[in-house]
Amino acid sequence: MQIVRCLNRSAFYPSGGGWTEGTGSADSQSMLYFAKLIVLILCGVLLGESRKPRKGRWTAEAQVQKISYSYKKNYDMTKTWPGSSKRLLRVEDHDFSMRPAFGGPAIPVGVDVQVENLDSISEVNMDFTMTLYLRHYWKDERLSFPSRTNRSMTFDGRLVKKIWVPDIFFVHSKRSFIHDTTTDNIMLRVFPDGHVLYSTRITVTAMCNMDFSRFPLDSQTCSLELENAYTDEDLMLYWKNGTESLKTDEKISLSQFLIQKFHTTSRLAFYSSTGRYNRLYINFILRRHIFFFLLQTYFPATLMVMLSWVSFWIDHRAVPARVSLGITIVLTMSTIITGVNASMPGVSYIKAVDIYLWVSFVFVFLSVIEYAAVNYLATVQERKEQEKFPCMGGISTKGMTIDGIYSELDAGSPEGDPKNQMVSEVTEEDKQEKMVIHLTMSNESNSSKKKGLKEHVSLRIIQNTHAIDKYSSIFLLFCGWVLFGECKANGKEIHEVYKKGSQPQRQRRETHGATHKQGSPILKRSPDITKSPLIKSEQLLKIDDHDFSMRPGFGGPSIPVGVDVQVESLDSISEVDMDFTMTLYLRHYWKDERLSFPSTNNQSMTFDGRLVKKIWVPDMFFVHSKRSFIHDTTTDNGHCNSNV
């Protein structure tokens, strides 16, 4: 302030009409003050720069902290809720054993599926195992909560047991479970307006009715069926995105099958005792790889047939060689047939591989029968020659036939006959004498031999065993070509006949439920004041006012309990364990006045399995049962329907 005042003074100091002599000294003082001001500014700048942090190893940390603040979400009170999820979602204020909007129109529940893996296909058990992600989408206004940013909240599986979820189950499933490593593979996401996403990771083993009439050139179509325990008046189950609701992993592969196509369908299933239900289908087509069966079945069977034809070029007198070859090939073919049938179910119709193997087995068997015929004709021929020349019996162990080929001593020689054992004990000298006698007699009866020779030549085609082997090989080769062509044509005809015969069965299955069309009117029920979500089932049914550990009408007459059963599938029958496995729907009907409630439209109320644990139910069991269980995927497959 002092500097400024001095400058003001020196700038305006007039004397007469011009400047005074003190003007030069005032300018020099102002320049001095300006220099001091500039020095002070420079010192301040240097001091400020010296206090800034140096760029070094702490620079990156400062930048990371700065960047991390830029990625923070906007503040939302629902994300930092000081209380529990029960207080936020008001779980204790509602009865979640009843569906949303109970008494109103059917609640739509969308479904989409992502197939993670197709684990195995079993032809023996006629089933398949699949691992998938099953997701449900619905709206429950009881779960709505206030939010500023309209963002969802994600919970684990513990909250699922406290709210209402669609109890979807798998029809015709043998085994199913929800993965629980490292925790239950369940995700629940709730939006502020009450929309809910419920996702689970499930592995299910289900039936697949396979047709093996063209095995191993067959293609199989399998289906995984999803259904819920609520009728179409209470819940409408549908594919959320139509045909795009099913996603598959591109890495899915099977050793024996090629997965051709995945697609979805939906129908209505009708049960006479309970009503109509929405049912969703996951269909996939499998085509079998043929190369494995070519190497393991077709090529070995073909080589065995060709090997059996080798016996036609072996001398018929080599009995051990031809018999052992034929029997070995027959046993080998039997082993191949047994191995193929061991990996297949015991179906009652003919498969394509059965036709091929049994035709091959017939060829091998005919080759053995052919040698038996050749050996028999050769024996008959030699016996006839012995009858014409009786003096030759017992001369030598080898004899020359008419065609100049030496043959071993046959079974009709004196040495082979047990009745002439004394003749076989002659000495070598007696044999030589008999040979000389035979030569002299053969010279004298030369003319008679020529007549016999003509008769023998006329029958040579029949009696010559080499000609029989030759013609047998040609005949069997021709028959093989014809029969294999016929087998191929018959295989196609069998498939067409079976396909036509199975059409009525398919029609009967399709008439089990009409096709669900989009845009069909939703069956609505008139609202009922007793079905308000603000009233809990315990209060409505007065459960706390009664003791449900005793049967209805305790101390009075016996209570009638009606039962009906619907058999879903007969899974397996074991002769070894002498048991069977059956999947069924078991329904009980009785009257319990303690569960009566007021109503204006005389309509029933449907609850899930949680209410069953609080009331009395008939404790039925299966006599002589080894194992039994209630399915629990995706929830306990038990429901309670209470009438007025």
Side-chain angles (χ1 to χ4, degrees), residues 156-174:
D156 57 11
R158 286 173 288 188
L159 187 63
V160 174
K161 300 178 182 179
K162 302 174 183 178
I163 66 172
W164 181 89
V165 293
D167 49 351
I168 295 177
F169 60 91
F170 299 98
V171 186
H172 301 140
S173 64
K174 296 182 178 180

Side-chain angles (χ1 to χ4, degrees), residues 391-591:
C391 60
M392 294 182 60
I395 292 179
S396 62
T397 58
K398 291 185 179 181
M400 185 172 64
T401 58
I402 297 176
D403 55 358
I405 300 176
Y406 289 92
S407 63
E408 297 289 340
L409 186 63
D410 55 43
S413 64
E415 291 185 3
D417 190 355
K419 297 180 180 180
N420 298 324
Q421 292 181 359
M422 298 299 295
V423 180
S424 63
E425 295 178 357
V426 296
T427 60
E428 294 295 332
E429 295 179 356
D430 295 338
K431 292 181 180 180
Q432 293 178 359
E433 293 177 357
K434 290 180 181 180
M435 184 180 295
V436 174
I437 296 172
H438 170 65
L439 292 175
T440 55
M441 292 178 64
S442 61
N443 291 329
E444 293 177 356
S445 59
N446 190 15
S447 59
S448 61
K449 283 184 179 181
K450 292 180 179 180
K451 295 180 181 179
L453 181 61
K454 292 180 181 180
E455 296 176 357
H456 181 74
V457 170
S458 61
L459 299 175
R460 184 174 182 179
I461 296 177
I462 300 176
Q463 295 179 349
N464 191 351
T465 57
H466 293 280
I468 294 176
D469 285 341
K470 179 180 179 180
Y471 296 141
S472 296
S473 62
I474 297 174
F475 176 75
L476 288 178
L477 286 173
F478 175 75
C479 290
W481 178 266
V482 174
L483 289 177
F484 273 96
E486 290 294 330
C487 291
K488 183 178 180 181
N490 290 335
K492 294 182 179 179
E493 293 178 358
I494 291 174
H495 175 67
E496 294 295 333
V497 171
Y498 182 80
K499 185 177 181 181
K500 292 179 181 179
S502 61
Q503 286 181 357
Q505 298 179 358
R506 295 177 182 175
Q507 293 177 358
R508 285 195 295 269
R509 289 196 298 266
E510 292 177 356
T511 55
H512 183 67
T515 303
H516 177 69
K517 298 181 180 180
Q518 295 183 357
S520 60
I522 301 175
L523 298 178
K524 295 184 179 181
R525 294 195 288 182
S526 57
D528 189 0
I529 189 173
T530 61
K531 300 181 180 181
S532 172
L534 298 178
I535 300 177
K536 295 186 178 181
S537 58
E538 290 86 350
Q539 300 174 1
L540 180 64
L541 301 179
K542 298 176 291 184
I543 292 179
D544 296 332
D545 299 341
H546 302 280
D547 183 10
F548 284 96
S549 63
M550 297 184 292
R551 69 173 179 86
F554 192 83
S558 60
I559 173 176
V561 177
V563 175
D564 69 50
V565 174
Q566 178 174 348
V567 178
E568 179 181 294
S569 62
L570 190 60
D571 301 333
S572 63
I573 297 178
S574 174
E575 294 88 352
V576 178
D577 300 328
M578 299 182 67
D579 58 16
F580 65 92
T581 304
M582 179 185 293
T583 302
L584 52 87
Y585 296 92
L586 179 61
R587 304 184 181 96
H588 313 72
Y589 304 88
W590 74 94
K591 183 177 180 180

Side-chain angles (χ1 to χ4, degrees), residues 111-115 130 132-134 221-226 237-248 261-267 279-285 515-516 518:
V111 174
D112 68 49
V113 173
Q114 180 174 351
V115 179
M130 179 186 292
L132 51 89
Y133 294 92
L134 180 61
T221 301
C222 299
S223 299
L224 182 62
E225 305 175 14
L226 289 77
L237 197 65
Y238 68 99
W239 290 112
K240 187 176 186 300
N241 299 317
T243 57
E244 301 296 329
S245 300
L246 180 62
K247 303 294 183 180
T248 58
K261 183 181 180 182
F262 275 94
H263 64 281
T264 60
T265 55
S266 61
R267 291 188 180 92
R279 181 176 294 183
L280 306 180
Y281 295 81
I282 301 175
N283 306 311
F284 54 95
I285 302 175
T515 303
H516 177 69
Q518 295 183 357

